């Protein structure tokens, strides 16, 4: 059984899909997109789901609210259904999770860090389908020229998250002074 819980934020709604296993496990996080609220997208993906929570999930929701409010919150990978991702995507997501707040990396640098130079597009695809946005901060990956690239919640949300974390911009591009990997 998949359960859903939704929270409102300045970026629109965010819906967590989770399952009861040995411990509550997040299977996917849905961000709202223009014209596509997270609740509708979650219900479409998990039509038999029901609204429910749990103390562990409530704690996670609290952390997400704090993070979206601007606080420095670091999320654990424990309790995420990483096994649903391919081995390559898991490696990309773990590398992305390692990028500290206030830093960015590029798709190419992440590929190089993983020992796969030339796999920048593969890294981009792995991040574009990140099932755990915010908990795994895929918004911290940008193009090599500083352009922000795509994001599940839209480019305005990606820019706002980066600004909230202290990343500086020069016009539309990230100032590439705090680059990781």
């Amino acid at each position: 059984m998949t359960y859903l819980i939704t929270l409102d934020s300045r970026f629109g709604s965010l819906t967590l899909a989770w399952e009861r296993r040995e411990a509550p496990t997040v299977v996917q996080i849905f961000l709202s997109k223009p014209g596509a609220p997270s609740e509708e997208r979650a219900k479409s993906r998990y039509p038999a789901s029901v609204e429910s929570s749990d103390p562990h999930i409530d704690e996670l929701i609290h952390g997400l609210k704090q993070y979206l409010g601007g606080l420095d919150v670091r999320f654990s990978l424990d309790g995420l259904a990483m096994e649903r991702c391919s081995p390559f995507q898991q490696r990309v997501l773990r590398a992305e999770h390692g990028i500290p707040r206030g830093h960015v990396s590029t798709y190419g640098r992440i590929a190089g860090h993983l020992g796969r130079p030339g796999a920048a597009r593969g890294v981009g695809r792995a991040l574009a389908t990140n099932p755990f946005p915010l908990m795994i901060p895929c918004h911290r990956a940008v193009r090599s020229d500083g352009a922000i690239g795509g994001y599940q919640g839209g480019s305005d949300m990606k820019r706002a998250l980066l600004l909230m974390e202290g990343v500086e911009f020069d016009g539309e591009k990230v100032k590439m002074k705090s680059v990781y990997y």
Side-chain angles (χ1 to χ4, degrees), residues 1-6 14-20 24-30 38 41-43 45-46 49-50 52 57 60-61 79-81 84 131-132 135:
M1 170 65 77
T2 302
Y3 301 94
L4 302 177
I5 186 166
T6 299
L14 176 139
T15 302
L16 230 80
W18 63 281
E19 296 174 352
R20 292 186 199 277
T25 302
V26 176
V27 294
Q28 194 165 358
I29 297 173
F30 295 88
S38 66
R41 295 178 54 237
K43 269 301 210 187
R45 172 74 173 89
Y46 300 101
S49 61
V50 296
S52 184
I57 297 298
L60 182 57
I61 291 292
L80 299 181
R84 291 183 171 205
F132 315 109
M135 293 186 70

Side-chain angles (χ1 to χ4, degrees), residues 104-167:
V104 295
S105 193
T106 67
Y107 305 111
R109 283 180 179 260
I110 294 168
H113 171 73
L114 296 173
R116 302 275 307 270
R121 285 190 178 163
V123 168
R125 278 190 300 275
L127 293 174
T129 57
N130 171 13
F132 315 109
L134 302 178
M135 293 186 70
I136 296 179
C138 52
H139 60 275
R140 294 180 186 158
V142 299
R143 294 181 181 162
S144 60
D145 67 354
I148 63 172
Y151 187 63
Q152 293 177 37
S155 60
D156 289 343
M157 181 179 186
K158 184 171 183 174
R159 182 182 175 91
L161 290 170
L162 290 171
L163 285 168
M164 178 183 77
E165 293 182 352
V167 173

Side-chain angles (χ1 to χ4, degrees), residues 60-89:
L60 182 57
I61 291 292
H62 179 71
L64 286 165
K65 285 179 181 178
Q66 288 183 311
Y67 172 76
L68 291 169
L71 297 179
D72 184 4
V73 178
R74 292 182 178 99
F75 297 99
S76 170
L77 296 178
D78 296 337
L80 299 181
M82 294 286 283
E83 77 282 353
R84 291 183 171 205
C85 302
S86 73
F88 177 74
Q89 185 178 30

